Amino acid sequence: MSQKEDTTIRFSGLKPGKYAYNYTLADEFFEEWKNDEIRGGEVRVDVQMERFEHMLMLTFTLEGKVTTMCDRCLGDLIVDMDGEEHLCVRFSDTETCDDEDVVVLPEKSFEIDLSQWLYEYVVVRIPMQHIHSDGQCDPEVVKFITDEEEETKSNDEIDPRWEALKKLK
């Protein structure tokens, strides 16, 4: 059984009220998404679901760490995860909604797979730039990058002929 299948909630038959679910998103979960950005991790997600007659209100609380790649040295970078997200699920055969925090399911639905939202909520918490703190990058790679930057700077020196032309002003 895949971890995606474990994240399915059967709400059919549940009475209106509050329900709690807990998930641990581990390496296997992230591998199923085939995303090179997330190399692994462990994120605990607590889901509070409030069941209404024609709607579900879900609150996701995330806490944990994921491993991604440092943009500078390409080494493993551990990113802390924490935060809260909300999702509203409505039941309707005619209504549609463009709001990303609202999902419309057919009236006859009996379950919802949360894996897509769990994955997306983790991904949006990864910073745009993934860079180690100063001094934490792989020293061999940093040395190579620094040497390249110095070589580029030396190639950018101004041609002496242009300097002579500037003096003519």
Side-chain angles (χ1 to χ4, degrees):
M1 181 181 293
S2 75
Q3 198 161 6
K4 284 185 187 179
E5 292 170 1
D6 293 340
T7 58
T8 300
I9 295 177
R10 291 188 76 124
F11 52 80
S12 175
L14 293 178
K15 295 179 181 176
K18 294 184 179 184
Y19 299 87
Y21 301 90
N22 300 308
Y23 303 102
T24 300
L25 310 179
D27 294 344
E28 302 82 36
F29 177 81
F30 297 114
E31 286 171 9
E32 287 185 39
W33 290 97
K34 296 177 176 73
N35 179 348
D36 293 335
E37 187 172 349
I38 298 177
R39 294 180 170 179
E42 187 169 312
V43 179
R44 179 177 165 77
V45 183
D46 296 323
V47 179
Q48 297 295 320
M49 180 181 81
E50 189 165 1
R51 170 89 157 108
F52 297 97
E53 192 65 34
H54 295 284
M55 181 172 62
L56 301 173
M57 293 296 297
L58 299 160
T59 302
F60 300 82
T61 306
L62 294 90
E63 186 177 326
K65 299 175 186 296
V66 294
T67 304
T68 188
M69 179 173 48
C70 176
D71 291 337
R72 185 181 300 141
C73 71
L74 305 179
D76 284 348
L77 173 68
I78 296 174
V79 178
D80 290 327
M81 292 278 132
D82 66 346
E84 189 173 281
E85 294 288 341
H86 302 276
L87 181 68
C88 176
V89 180
R90 294 185 188 163
F91 304 112
S92 174
D93 290 326
T94 58
E95 183 182 347
T96 61
C97 185
D98 292 333
D99 187 353
E100 63 188 36
D101 294 331
V102 178
V103 176
V104 179
L105 293 178
E107 288 279 345
K108 296 190 189 294
S109 297
F110 60 93
E111 66 183 13
I112 184 169
D113 180 9
L114 300 179
S115 61
Q116 177 72 39
W117 289 282
L118 294 171
Y119 176 74
E120 288 179 11
Y121 293 152
V122 169
V123 170
V124 298
R125 287 196 157 48
I126 297 174
M128 291 294 288
Q129 268 191 327
H130 326 116
I131 299 176
H132 284 110
S133 302
D134 289 338
Q136 298 296 315
C137 282
D138 183 351
E140 291 295 317
V141 176
V142 172
K143 182 179 181 288
F144 179 75
I145 293 170
T146 307
D147 290 347
E148 261 190 16
E149 286 175 357
E150 289 174 8
E151 186 177 307
T152 303
K153 285 179 186 174
S154 66
N155 290 343
D156 290 342
E157 290 179 11
I158 298 175
D159 188 332
R161 294 174 289 186
W162 289 109
E163 285 298 322
L165 288 173
K166 286 183 183 178
K167 292 179 186 176
L168 293 175
K169 287 185 182 179

